[in-house]
Amino acid sequence: MKVSFDFDGTLSRKDVQKFAKSLVNTGYDVWIVTSRFDDESAMKKNWHWIKGQNQNLFSVAEECGIKLNNIHFTCMESKSHFLKDKGFAPTEEPFKKLINQGMILGTSAFV
């Protein structure tokens, strides 16, 4: 079975790392799918400050037993296409309709 974690705010936490490591140890195919830029893509944009920013991510992956080939950088693109292509999700878009224009306090023609 495949399992995917985001890094920042998720796999960067020690409790989630412990869980991910237990999944790897029981035979799950564990991936990191992150919105971060990989070093090569960042250098093409002349974003030299990013170089080395992913070292912590690689260290956590190694500590958890996650293969380097199982790390995917989306470079701030939507993760849903990658997750569909790799068999993590049945559809590309997880929402039929998304409304995020403030708080809905009553009935709406859109919901």
Side-chain angles (χ1 to χ4, degrees), residues 1 13 18 22 27 34 42-45 48-49 56 63-64 67 70 74 82 84 92 95-97 101 105-106:
M1 176 178 271
R13 294 177 26 192
K18 183 178 177 183
S22 73
T34 179
M43 291 303 116
K44 287 179 183 176
K45 293 181 174 284
H48 299 285
W49 55 270
N56 186 35
E63 184 178 314
C64 292
K67 301 175 210 162
N70 286 13
T74 65
F82 175 80
K84 164 89 169 68
E92 284 187 11
F95 307 107
K96 288 183 180 180
K97 187 179 273 191
Q101 297 293 319
L105 298 174

Side-chain angles (χ1 to χ4, degrees), residues 8 35-55 76:
D8 296 298
S35 295
R36 288 183 176 202
F37 280 81
D38 61 281
D39 288 347
E40 183 179 328
S41 297
M43 291 303 116
K44 287 179 183 176
K45 293 181 174 284
N46 290 322
W47 293 351
H48 299 285
W49 55 270
I50 286 185
K51 188 173 178 127
Q53 292 286 318
N54 294 317
Q55 188 53 49
M76 300 308 287

Side-chain angles (χ1 to χ4, degrees), residues 13-91:
R13 294 177 26 192
K14 292 289 184 188
D15 59 331
V16 179
Q17 291 170 23
K18 183 178 177 183
F19 178 60
K21 190 172 187 175
S22 73
L23 292 175
V24 169
N25 289 338
T26 55
Y28 284 80
D29 188 17
V30 178
W31 286 66
I32 299 172
V33 180
T34 179
S35 295
R36 288 183 176 202
F37 280 81
D38 61 281
D39 288 347
E40 183 179 328
S41 297
M43 291 303 116
K44 287 179 183 176
K45 293 181 174 284
N46 290 322
W47 293 351
H48 299 285
W49 55 270
I50 286 185
K51 188 173 178 127
Q53 292 286 318
N54 294 317
Q55 188 53 49
N56 186 35
L57 183 149
F58 291 122
S59 296
V60 167
E62 182 178 356
E63 184 178 314
C64 292
I66 299 170
K67 301 175 210 162
L68 288 179
N69 289 342
N70 286 13
I71 300 172
H72 182 74
F73 296 89
T74 65
C75 302
M76 300 308 287
E77 296 291 326
S78 173
K79 295 176 189 178
S80 60
H81 302 293
F82 175 80
L83 295 172
K84 164 89 169 68
D85 290 345
K86 291 294 183 179
F88 288 98
T91 62

